Amino acid sequence: MGRALMARRPGRPSTPRLTARICVPAFAKINLGLEVLGVREDGYHELRTLFQTIDLKDEITLRARPRGLRLVCRQAGVPVGSENLVWRAAEELQHRGRVRKGVEIRLDKRIPVAGGLGGGSSDAAAVLLGLDRLWGLGLGPEGLLPLARGLGADVPYFLFGGTALGLARGDEIYPLLAQVRAHVVVVDPRRPLATAAVFARLDARLTPRQNGYTIQRFVASSLRGEVSFRGLTNDLETAALEEAPDLEPRIGRVRAVLEREGAVLASLTGSGSAFFGLFERRGNAARAQRALASEGFTAHLARTLTAQQYRRAWVESLGERGRSAGRTRW
Ligand code: C5P
């Protein structure tokens, strides 16, 4: 009997079971420091940045379908077609992996949109990692890297998470030996900022950029197991405030409260407009969060995630499938 005929025998489905459903987390990031070194030939900017994941997250459910892509998101203003990076991530993986199966992606957004917290990029990376598992491709984070880089500068970082150095467009990732463990207050001024517009403002400035050495110092001292946030800054902050001058008094107030409550670092994240404070003690972070909320700010209390915690959250979310699938190199 031929193999094709055997596959069609009653009770023996010719396609894999299509009930598979997995829920995966998509964590937000903050930039502990960000230095813009210059404009590249491809129009992007050469960066040196310190990425850090936090436990504020979107939730993504992937449900196998015989074919086609479907994206579902209840939040207003989030596109559910090919304009969404998540869609492009799934389509590219389907194409490159020559996958005939489909998927329904349900996106539950918690991370503020266009806030510099990497929500869209994290969603895309989570979809790549989740579909790699759902479709049994066995690529793992390293195998997904080229595809992630093509999707956006921040996407590759989310394949690894934790405390990491980002070079080039921010898409060359070097996880650091010393991982930050801290409490974080994230303030969302509810004022979306377009990354490209903030970078354009920076280019229009007349003052030449200084080469800062604080990120180099951070990386060097991390080899001794030390982390010092002293001197870390975000080169995009001035440009972001020029792009959205209405933000300046609010950001000033947020920084003052965070510093008053003992933040070891208070900074804009990415191109903004979210602002964060880093605290060694939870009590101080909680006090800062309450103080800001009482002044009418949308403030979230979060924790940093190390690369190990990030990986563990993934393995746990994949449950038995995560542990048993030896082909995925987590
Ligand atoms: O790669 P992504 O689509 O996330 O980048 C959004 C925009 O941010 C780019 O179109 C570019 O204008 C700007 N950008 C940049 N240099 C980087 C990263 C982003 O100029 N390293």
XYZ file of all heavy atoms in Angstrom, residues 43-47 121 151-154 168-170 195-196 199, ligand 1:
138
model
N 20.652 55.083 6.358
C 19.707 56.089 6.868
C 19.349 55.871 8.336
O 18.849 56.778 8.996
N 19.607 54.686 8.836
C 19.379 54.423 10.260
C 20.509 55.062 11.064
O 21.448 55.618 10.499
C 19.379 52.900 10.515
C 18.019 52.264 10.374
C 17.452 52.075 9.120
C 17.314 51.837 11.484
C 16.204 51.486 8.979
C 16.061 51.247 11.357
C 15.516 51.075 10.113
O 14.289 50.494 9.984
N 20.417 55.004 12.369
C 21.436 55.583 13.232
C 22.237 54.501 13.920
O 21.682 53.461 14.295
C 20.780 56.510 14.271
C 20.196 57.734 13.649
N 19.027 57.696 12.922
C 20.647 59.018 13.598
C 18.774 58.910 12.451
N 19.734 59.733 12.859
N 23.522 54.782 14.032
C 24.405 53.847 14.727
C 24.196 54.084 16.229
O 24.321 55.208 16.708
C 25.857 54.154 14.322
C 26.871 53.147 14.775
C 26.813 51.824 14.004
O 26.175 51.765 12.941
O 27.398 50.852 14.508
N 23.837 53.041 16.947
C 23.481 53.184 18.368
C 24.410 52.381 19.272
O 25.040 51.412 18.835
C 22.058 52.661 18.624
C 20.890 53.272 17.876
C 19.588 52.667 18.384
C 20.862 54.781 18.048
N 7.594 45.503 18.695
C 8.749 44.648 18.385
C 8.716 43.383 19.230
O 9.022 42.289 18.758
C 10.052 45.394 18.676
O 10.098 46.595 17.966
N 12.635 42.648 10.312
C 11.342 43.195 10.748
C 11.477 44.555 11.422
O 10.590 45.395 11.321
C 10.643 42.216 11.696
C 10.099 40.936 11.052
C 9.671 39.945 12.119
C 8.932 41.256 10.124
N 12.567 44.774 12.143
C 12.737 46.054 12.834
C 13.949 46.003 13.743
O 14.361 44.924 14.191
N 14.503 47.197 14.029
C 15.766 47.271 14.764
C 15.674 46.692 16.178
O 16.659 46.161 16.706
C 16.232 48.726 14.808
N 14.504 46.781 16.816
C 14.382 46.322 18.209
C 13.976 44.849 18.323
O 13.995 44.287 19.413
C 13.315 47.141 18.956
C 13.848 48.485 19.415
O 15.055 48.722 19.287
O 13.038 49.282 19.913
N 25.148 48.700 16.551
C 24.709 48.904 15.155
C 23.357 49.646 15.151
O 23.269 50.708 15.759
C 24.662 47.586 14.391
N 22.312 49.090 14.545
C 21.004 49.776 14.584
C 20.289 49.493 15.906
O 19.104 49.798 16.045
C 20.126 49.294 13.434
C 20.711 49.538 12.061
C 19.717 49.139 10.985
N 19.109 47.845 11.252
C 17.941 47.432 10.752
N 17.245 48.221 9.966
N 17.474 46.235 11.034
N 20.989 48.854 16.826
C 20.370 48.367 18.068
C 19.972 46.909 17.882
O 19.344 46.319 18.753
N 9.021 57.276 16.368
C 10.477 57.115 16.483
C 11.211 57.875 15.378
O 12.188 58.582 15.635
C 10.825 55.614 16.409
O 10.062 54.945 17.402
C 12.294 55.361 16.661
N 10.732 57.716 14.132
C 11.420 58.343 12.999
C 11.464 59.867 13.171
O 12.472 60.509 12.872
C 10.721 57.974 11.695
N 14.183 60.826 15.731
C 15.530 60.727 15.152
C 15.778 61.892 14.184
O 16.873 62.434 14.122
C 15.705 59.389 14.423
C 16.170 58.268 15.330
C 15.302 57.269 15.742
C 17.481 58.221 15.780
C 15.721 56.238 16.567
C 17.916 57.186 16.606
C 17.039 56.189 16.998
O 13.436 49.578 12.792
P 12.219 50.332 13.227
O 11.110 50.239 12.225
O 11.785 49.989 14.613
O 12.643 51.867 13.293
C 11.701 52.908 13.242
C 12.385 54.184 12.747
O 13.308 54.653 13.720
C 13.211 53.997 11.495
O 12.444 54.184 10.340
C 14.262 55.080 11.617
O 13.753 56.321 11.198
C 14.474 55.189 13.129
N 15.662 54.451 13.607
C 16.915 54.938 13.298
N 18.027 54.273 13.753
C 17.904 53.149 14.496
C 16.634 52.644 14.824
C 15.521 53.328 14.353
O 17.061 55.965 12.631
N 19.022 52.552 14.917
